[in-house]
Each structure stands twice: as structure tokens, then as C-alpha cells.
């Protein structure tokens, strides 16, 4: 939130945005390097995404039965993301990471979780942070944190909880890059101990490469959570992965009023092909290098 921004220099309330620029309530103009906490991969008020959303509003925003957009966007995800054989949709990243954990628990019959990185606000994850007020204690005993680029820290979790770990979930790329074959070895270890592997690609999906960090690193997980860049800031998330695991959702529950909402799906149907067509991830690597090198020179 606001605590990340410098008091007296950063605006408190923004009024509008266009492209990479935003205007505050007093009319001051800024460049938004954060892009609304990362989803605006095409910038504020992208005409293609806005046009698709406006057209869908005229047809209806949500329905009592399925809509063909669910099929269309699923097919786009299957084509783009290496692990995707099927998809289900949510609204927030935390929807997708949490249902991934639920799928793994259903499939394996196990309760424990090994995690690395940030995965949202739900009990299973946030219990072991300092923001865990109001969360029953048993969650702390089921979730175990390991360190990036530290295979021993992951293996310790498996050895301390034999036959009990359902899933290894991690952000495949963050500020750190994998050393050597770290991600390959995480996958090998997870499967060796009978756990599923899930990449939380909420941030990396469509951004680090069109097919996400799994395309960039050549490591294909069992499940992947996607959000943010999928729809350029119109709320949508997805859980994708192996068909056999996604179909576990026939026996476990993942449903909510706006699960079939078509506004986010219409945005994604416009956004995803544009990311590929305009080679957006490649462009981000270029401008990212300019920013990074410039900061390093100043430092």
C-alpha cells in the first residue's frame, strides 16, 4: 500500500491513467513505474482491451450458464502456457493459488505445503507471516517455507513430514534468478516425494516471456496460477495445468458468483493475443534493462 511510497512526494490518490502516465486528484502528472501493482502490461486504458470490455458490456457481463469466452480464453492459455491442458477462472491471484493448493490436497490426499515466495491473503499461506491475526493456528503447522536456490531447505521439509506434503508452490522467478538447475531439481524432488509442483506465475506470467517463467526456464510444472498481465487490469485469474489435476475440481468446490463473469474474459481475449502480436515481453526486457542499468549507474 501507501507505505511503499515517499510521504510528501508520492500522490495519495490517483484520478486517471493513460498509457504509462497517471494524474492525481490535484492534476499532477506522474510516470507509474508500478503500473497498478503490475497488471497493466499494456498500460492504462488500452484501446483494444477497453473496446473489448465495452462491447461485452452491451452483450451482458455475467450469465447463469457458461459463455463461449471461457472456451476461447482457455484455448489461448493452452496455446501460450507450457503446462496448460485445461483452465478454470477466478478473479484474484489468491483465488488461483488457493484452488491450486486445494487441487493438490485432493489429488494426493495429503495436507502439508512447501512454499517459497508470496501467494496471497488466504489462511493456508498468510498464517506463517506476521500478518496472521485472526487465523487459526493449525494452518501454521501445515505450511512450511523454503528458501529460493536452497534445495536442502526444501528437502528438510519433506524429511520432517514424510508422506504428508501435497504440493511445492513457488514463484519461479523473483528478484533472484535460479542458480544452475535449481528449478529442474525442485521439480525432480517434488515428484520424487509424491508432491505436485505449482508455479505461482501471477507476476511472471505473460511478462518474463509470453509463456511465463516456465517457458523462459524450460521447467514445466503440474499447475500454474495466472492473473495480473492476463487481462491488463480487468479482474481475472486462472488456474491451469494438467487435465487430470484440473478435473479433480469435479469433486472439490471452486465456484462463486463472478467466476463466470465475462468482462475479465473479454479483456483477456483482447490482451493475450496483443501481448504476442506486439512482442510485449521482449519490449519489457529492453525497457527494463534501460531502467536497471540507469539506476545502477546512478548508484
Amino acid at each position: 500500500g501507501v507505505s511503499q511510497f515517499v510521504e510528501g512526494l508520492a500522490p495519495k490518490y490517483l484520478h486517471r491513467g493513460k498509457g504509462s502516465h497517471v494524474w492525481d486528484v490535484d492534476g499532477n502528472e506522474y510516470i507509474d513505474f508500478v503500473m497498478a501493482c503490475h497488471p497493466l502490461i499494456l498500460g492504462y486504458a488500452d484501446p483494444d482491451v477497453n473496446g473489448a470490455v465495452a462491447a461485452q458490456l452491451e452483450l451482458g457481463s455475467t450469465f447463469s450458464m457458461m459463455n463461449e469466452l471461457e472456451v476461447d480464453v482457455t484455448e489461448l492459455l493452452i496455446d501460450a502456457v507450457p503446462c496448460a491442458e485445461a483452465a478454470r477462472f477466478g478473479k484474484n491471484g489468491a483465488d488461483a493459488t488457493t484452488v491450486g493448493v486445494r487441487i493438490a490436497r485432493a489429488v494426493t490426499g495429503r495436507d502439508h505445503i512447501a512454499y517459497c515466495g508470496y501467494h496471497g491473503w488466504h489462511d493456508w499461506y498468510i498464517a506463517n507471516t506476521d500478518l496472521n491475526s485472526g487465523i487459526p493456528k493449525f494452518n501454521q503447522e501445515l505450511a512450511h517455507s523454503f528458501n529460493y536456490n536452497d534445495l536442502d531447505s526444501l528437502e528438510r521439509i519433506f524429511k520432517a513430514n514424510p508422506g504428508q506434503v501435497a504440493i511445492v508452490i513457488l514463484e519461479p522467478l523473483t528478484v533472484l534468478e535460479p542458480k544452475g538447475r535449481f528449478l529442474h531439481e525442485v521439480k525432480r524432488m517434488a515428484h520424487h516425494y509424491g508432491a505436485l509442483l505449482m508455479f505461482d506465475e501471477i507476476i511472471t506470467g505473460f511478462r518474463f516471456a509470453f509463456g511465463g517463467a516456465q517457458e523462459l526456464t524450460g521447467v514445466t510444472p503440474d499447475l500454474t496460477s495466472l492473473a495480473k498481465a492476463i487481462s491488463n487490469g480487468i479482474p481475472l485469474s486462472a488456474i491451469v495445468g494438467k487435465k487430470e489435476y484440473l478435473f479433480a475440481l469435479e469433486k472439490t468446490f471452486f465456484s462463486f458468483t463472478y467466476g463466470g463473469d465475462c468482462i475479465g474474459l473479454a479483456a483477456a481475449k483482447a490482451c493475450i493475443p496483443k501481448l504476442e502480436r506486439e512482442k510485449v515481453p521482449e519490449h519489457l526486457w529492453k525497457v527494463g534493462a534501460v531502467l536497471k542499468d540507469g539506476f545502477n549507474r546512478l548508484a
Side-chain angles (χ1 to χ4, degrees):
V2 173
S3 62
Q4 295 168 16
F5 299 98
V6 180
E7 186 73 34
L9 292 175
K12 285 254 192 298
Y13 292 89
L14 294 177
H15 175 60
R16 68 183 180 96
K18 182 66 187 166
S20 60
H21 289 231
V22 289
W23 289 260
D24 69 11
V25 288
D26 300 313
N28 300 303
E29 184 178 353
Y30 304 85
I31 298 173
D32 185 353
F33 283 96
V34 187
M35 297 309 286
C37 299
H38 316 313
L40 300 181
I41 193 160
L42 298 171
Y44 285 89
D46 177 76
D48 294 314
V49 174
N50 278 12
V53 166
Q56 185 58 42
L57 280 170
E58 293 298 317
L59 297 173
S61 60
T62 192
F63 299 95
S64 43
M65 301 175 87
M66 290 195 298
N67 182 277
E68 61 196 323
L69 280 171
E70 293 181 56
V71 178
D72 294 344
V73 177
T74 296
E75 287 174 347
L76 288 172
L77 295 177
I78 290 169
D79 288 344
V81 182
C83 85
E85 298 174 2
R88 285 285 295 274
F89 297 101
K91 279 280 154 275
N92 283 289
D95 296 342
T97 53
T98 297
V99 78
V101 167
R102 183 174 290 183
I103 287 169
R105 283 171 161 168
V107 165
T108 62
R110 301 169 171 191
D111 291 337
H112 287 251
I113 294 148
Y115 70 89
C116 174
Y118 173 77
H119 307 296
W121 67 276
H122 287 289
D123 287 14
W124 68 267
Y125 165 73
I126 214 78
N128 282 325
T129 72
D130 55 4
L131 296 171
N132 60 3
S133 165
I135 297 174
K137 289 272 188 289
F138 74 85
N139 290 284
Q140 293 176 19
E141 290 152 26
L142 296 177
H144 314 277
S145 165
F146 67 98
N147 299 319
Y148 198 81
N149 281 328
D150 182 354
L151 287 166
D152 290 343
S153 69
L154 176 58
E155 188 149 44
R156 275 197 293 275
I157 295 168
F158 283 114
K159 290 194 163 154
N161 305 277
Q164 296 181 80
V165 178
I167 190 168
V168 176
I169 176 171
L170 77 159
E171 292 185 279
L173 284 167
T174 54
V175 290
L176 299 170
E177 294 182 7
K179 284 185 190 154
R181 291 177 60 80
F182 170 68
L183 291 174
H184 298 78
E185 290 301 313
V186 167
K187 178 176 176 176
R188 193 186 63 76
M189 190 181 290
H191 290 170
H192 172 75
Y193 285 104
L196 271 56
L197 174 64
M198 178 165 168
F199 281 178
D200 180 342
E201 294 231 41
I202 305 297
I203 288 175
T204 54
F206 305 105
R207 180 180 287 280
F208 282 51
F210 180 63
Q214 59 196 266
E215 179 193 298
L216 193 64
T217 61
V219 181
T220 306
D222 301 307
L223 297 166
T224 299
S225 51
L226 299 163
K228 294 196 190 282
I230 197 172
S231 51
N232 203 53
I234 309 296
L236 184 74
S237 64
I239 177 79
V240 299
K242 288 189 174 162
K243 208 176 266 188
E244 61 183 294
Y245 300 142
L246 267 288
F247 276 87
L249 288 175
E250 290 179 343
K251 294 196 183 101
T252 185
F253 199 61
F254 182 57
S255 179
F256 31 88
T257 303
Y258 299 113
D261 156 68
C262 294
I263 305 303
L265 290 166
K269 189 177 173 179
C271 180
I272 295 169
K274 186 169 184 178
L275 297 176
E276 187 173 32
R277 193 169 66 241
E278 306 273 343
K279 297 188 166 54
V280 172
E282 290 92 323
H283 174 71
L284 294 180
W285 279 98
K286 280 187 200 130
V287 293
V290 170
L291 181 66
K292 183 176 164 188
D293 294 346
F295 263 120
N296 284 336
R297 267 198 306 278
L298 289 168

